């Protein structure tokens, strides 16, 4: 197994998006996700459907969304407001891990 050094991975193209959802679903099924991302549920309940699995998320939960992944998301707005924070980023040097 390779050993990571402090300079092995570089984070580039970082940006954040806070979203108060008014729709019930979002999808990256037709095209792969263009960047890596961390999604934090700030308010409400969200389900991610990835590789045949359902990943339920509640407030303060975080999910890693790999670059190139395909998934579908359901926001449970019938339970109240859903607010998320998405941190998009790209990495250089991560290919070997």
């Amino acid at each position: 197994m390779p050993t990571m050094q402090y300079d092995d991975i570089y984070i580039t193209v970082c940006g954040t998006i806070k979203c108060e959802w008014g729709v019930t679903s979002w999808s990256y099924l037709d095209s792969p996700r263009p960047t890596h991302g961390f999604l934090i549920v700030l308010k409400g309940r969200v389900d991610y459907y990835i590789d045949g699995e359902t990943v339920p998320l509640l407030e303060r939960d975080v999910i890693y969304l790999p670059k190139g992944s395909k998934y579908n998301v359901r926001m449970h707005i019938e339970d109240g407001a859903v607010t998320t924070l998405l941190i998009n980023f790209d990495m250089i040097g991560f290919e070997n891990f």
Side-chain angles (χ1 to χ4, degrees):
M1 171 181 268
T3 303
M4 291 179 66
Q5 302 291 325
Y6 72 91
D7 59 352
D8 284 338
I9 298 175
Y10 298 93
I11 304 294
T12 63
V13 190
C14 189
T16 61
I17 302 168
K18 183 179 178 183
C19 188
E20 295 179 10
W21 292 95
V23 298
T24 58
S25 65
W26 181 260
S27 176
Y28 264 113
L29 293 177
D30 294 331
S31 62
R33 186 175 166 72
T35 60
H36 298 276
F38 286 109
L39 181 113
I40 305 163
V41 179
L42 301 175
K43 186 176 184 180
R45 186 167 63 102
V46 177
D47 288 333
Y48 269 77
Y49 303 96
I50 305 170
D51 297 328
E53 275 190 61
T54 301
V55 180
L57 301 171
L58 301 172
E59 291 179 17
R60 295 182 282 171
D61 285 344
V62 177
I63 188 170
Y64 168 62
L65 304 167
K67 182 177 183 174
S69 61
K70 293 184 176 185
Y71 55 85
N72 190 37
V73 186
R74 178 166 185 258
M75 281 66 72
H76 293 273
I77 60 175
E78 69 276 5
D79 296 342
V82 174
T83 305
T84 59
L85 179 66
L86 178 61
I87 303 168
N88 289 316
F89 61 96
D90 230 337
M91 293 187 284
I92 298 170
F94 192 70
E95 298 81 17
N96 297 322
F97 295 94

